[in-house]
Amino acid sequence: MPISEPLVFRLRTDSTSAVFSESSRDAWITKANGVNAEFDLNGFGLSVKISNIEEVDRDVVLLLPRKNVIHRLIRAKSQHNTLLITERCDQKCIMCSQPPKDSHIDMFGVFKEALDLAPRNTIIGLSGGEPLLFKSELFNLLEYARIFRQDISFHILTNGRAFTDFDAEKIESIGVDRVLWGVPIYAARPEIHDAIVGVSGAFEQLTHSLATLARTGARIEIRTVIMNGNIEHLEDLASFIARKLPFIDVWAIMQMENIGYGRMVWRQEFFDSSLNFDPIARAIDTVEIRGVSANLYNFPICTIPTSYRAYAVNSISDWKQKFLSECSACVVRSDCCGLFEWHPKDGGYNRLGLL
């Protein structure tokens, strides 16, 4: 019988190792011509369009036979693997790069199978939408990994509003060292934060929820996207973090993405830090002097003053990263996050240049 139901398996292109198959869910290459590759999965033949077979070795994929489609769930050679938990969300952030949808497809069973086949000691992102809308299922997935894949750690992006005291025991049992919770705060003034996320009372709910998360000893990354609407309040937020949230692992100050809702508000909200880095510099100084670490996400290095370039992180996932033609000779390109693939030619940074 042909394969008729969705199937998770791993692509293997090193045919010389086929006799040492690690799993019955390994599909081994039998031939390739530079355009298509033929694989054998326990006697089933699969033809896949692949131009460079070396790029997909040990990738974990999902086959949808009724659509003749294969989705790459986990790329073995990438440091940027994220599983989308849901597209539903209980916020509507004005600059959201992935606007929420009402529909939801339960993929937790697929994700468990993907974890079984993932490379060892990898970090996997879990994102949405809002993953905590499916808190029970999410915790079950993490518990599954704790039992069967203790080598895997997670970076989970959530608005963080749904943690309660009843969750503390589960968070602790999963292993607080294996999960970094990425939680956004956009301003220390509730009315500004609430306006950005589109939910009245969100800031108050978030601070109570963060306190619960902190009591477990969980690792926390506070994430702040800078915009014209909150940049003048960034130093106040830095003071708030230093005083009220000194237990966090890191404060990630982030640039906007010109996609989703971000594209709709780009011209009014994008803050060109290449022209004025002072508010960001003051914010970094404020937390660092109190012992709280800061990082800069999505900032090309050439847009950052020399004394603050050490805070820059190569944060943009490889599949949505681009460099300009003039970047080819840059001496720090390998350390630079570059630009988002959809960063506009006009209306973005005014100062981009070689280092």
Side-chain angles (χ1 to χ4, degrees), residues 40-100:
D40 178 89
L41 178 62
N42 298 323
F44 290 97
L46 300 171
S47 179
V48 185
K49 290 184 178 180
I50 299 175
S51 58
N52 187 346
I53 61 171
E54 294 181 358
E55 290 184 357
V56 301
D57 188 40
R58 295 180 178 269
D59 282 2
V60 182
V61 300
L62 169 64
L63 170 65
L64 301 176
R66 299 180 188 276
K67 295 183 178 181
N68 288 326
V69 169
I70 285 180
H71 291 289
R72 295 165 79 181
L73 297 174
I74 298 175
R75 294 172 297 152
K77 292 181 172 61
S78 176
Q79 300 298 313
H80 305 103
N81 285 299
T82 298
L83 302 176
L84 183 68
I85 297 297
T86 183
E87 293 188 85
R88 289 184 184 174
C89 192
D90 54 356
Q91 296 188 163
K92 195 172 183 180
C93 300
I94 63 171
M95 71 303 177
C96 180
S97 61
Q98 187 164 328

Side-chain angles (χ1 to χ4, degrees), residues 73-74 79-85 111 115 122-128 131 138 141-142 152-157 178-180 317:
L73 297 174
I74 298 175
Q79 300 298 313
H80 305 103
N81 285 299
T82 298
L83 302 176
L84 183 68
I85 297 297
F111 295 156
L115 294 182
T122 191
I123 300 174
I124 295 178
L126 302 178
S127 183
L138 175 64
L141 178 67
L142 297 174
I152 292 178
S153 55
F154 297 91
H155 186 191
I156 303 177
L157 304 185
R178 297 177 54 240
V179 180
L180 177 64
S317 301

Side-chain angles (χ1 to χ4, degrees), residues 168-186:
E169 183 177 352
K170 177 63 71 174
I171 293 169
E172 292 170 353
S173 69
I174 288 167
V176 294
D177 291 336
R178 297 177 54 240
V179 180
L180 177 64
W181 299 92
V183 180
I185 301 180
Y186 299 118

Side-chain angles (χ1 to χ4, degrees), residues 78-351:
S78 176
Q79 300 298 313
H80 305 103
N81 285 299
T82 298
L83 302 176
L84 183 68
I85 297 297
T86 183
E87 293 188 85
R88 289 184 184 174
C89 192
D90 54 356
Q91 296 188 163
K92 195 172 183 180
C93 300
I94 63 171
M95 71 303 177
C96 180
S97 61
Q98 187 164 328
K101 298 179 180 178
D102 293 332
S103 60
H104 171 73
I105 300 176
D106 188 334
M107 296 282 286
F108 285 100
V110 167
F111 295 156
K112 287 180 179 179
E113 293 187 61
L115 294 182
D116 289 337
L117 300 174
R120 289 196 58 79
N121 302 314
T122 191
I123 300 174
I124 295 178
L126 302 178
S127 183
E130 176 44 53
L132 290 181
L133 290 177
F134 300 88
K135 188 196 301 182
S136 177
E137 294 88 344
L138 175 64
F139 284 164
N140 286 338
L141 178 67
L142 297 174
E143 180 67 15
Y144 180 88
R146 183 192 69 81
I147 296 171
F148 296 103
R149 289 302 305 267
Q150 294 187 10
D151 59 295
I152 292 178
S153 55
F154 297 91
H155 186 191
I156 303 177
L157 304 185
T158 168
N159 62 42
R161 290 166 44 212
F163 292 114
T164 70
D165 291 339
F166 298 105
D167 300 323
E169 183 177 352
K170 177 63 71 174
I171 293 169
E172 292 170 353
S173 69
I174 288 167
V176 294
D177 291 336
R178 297 177 54 240
V179 180
L180 177 64
W181 299 92
V183 180
I185 301 180
Y186 299 118
R189 290 175 57 180
E191 66 273 17
I192 298 174
H193 175 87
D194 292 357
I196 290 174
V197 304
V199 177
S200 179
F203 182 86
E204 182 178 3
Q205 188 177 12
L206 172 59
T207 52
H208 287 300
S209 188
L210 271 176
T212 297
L213 189 61
R215 283 194 292 271
T216 69
R219 300 174 58 221
I220 301 172
E221 171 197 58
I222 296 299
R223 299 165 69 90
T224 303
V225 176
I226 60 166
M227 296 166 282
N228 286 325
N230 68 351
I231 190 65
E232 67 181 77
H233 305 285
L234 193 64
E235 192 173 358
D236 287 340
L237 177 56
S239 296
F240 174 84
I241 290 172
R243 289 183 291 106
K244 301 291 188 179
L245 307 175
F247 49 79
I248 67 171
D249 282 58
V250 66
W251 181 28
I253 303 171
M254 307 173 65
Q255 264 292 7
M256 277 182 63
E257 291 189 55
N258 184 38
I259 197 170
Y261 291 156
R263 181 170 293 166
M264 298 167 60
V265 300
W266 182 264
R267 292 197 175 276
Q268 68 194 62
E269 289 293 349
F270 176 72
F271 177 75
D272 187 353
S273 53
S274 71
L275 296 180
N276 180 15
F277 195 82
D278 289 347
I280 302 166
R282 291 194 299 270
I284 291 174
D285 292 345
T286 299
V287 294
E288 286 283 345
I289 202 170
R290 304 282 187 89
V292 177
S293 297
N295 281 335
L296 295 172
Y297 287 8
N298 313 337
F299 287 75
I301 292 177
C302 61
T303 68
I304 304 171
T306 303
S307 56
Y308 290 91
R309 287 174 182 169
Y311 296 101
V313 175
N314 193 341
S315 55
I316 298 178
S317 301
D318 48 12
W319 62 270
K320 56 182 180 180
Q321 179 187 56
K322 77 172 180 181
F323 290 93
L324 305 179
S325 57
E326 54 264 38
C327 299
S328 58
C330 181
V331 296
V332 297
R333 172 170 169 158
S334 61
D335 298 321
C336 183
C337 69
L339 299 166
F340 287 102
E341 179 64 35
W342 35 81
H343 192 84
K345 295 181 180 179
D346 300 312
Y349 296 105
N350 280 275
R351 294 179 180 172

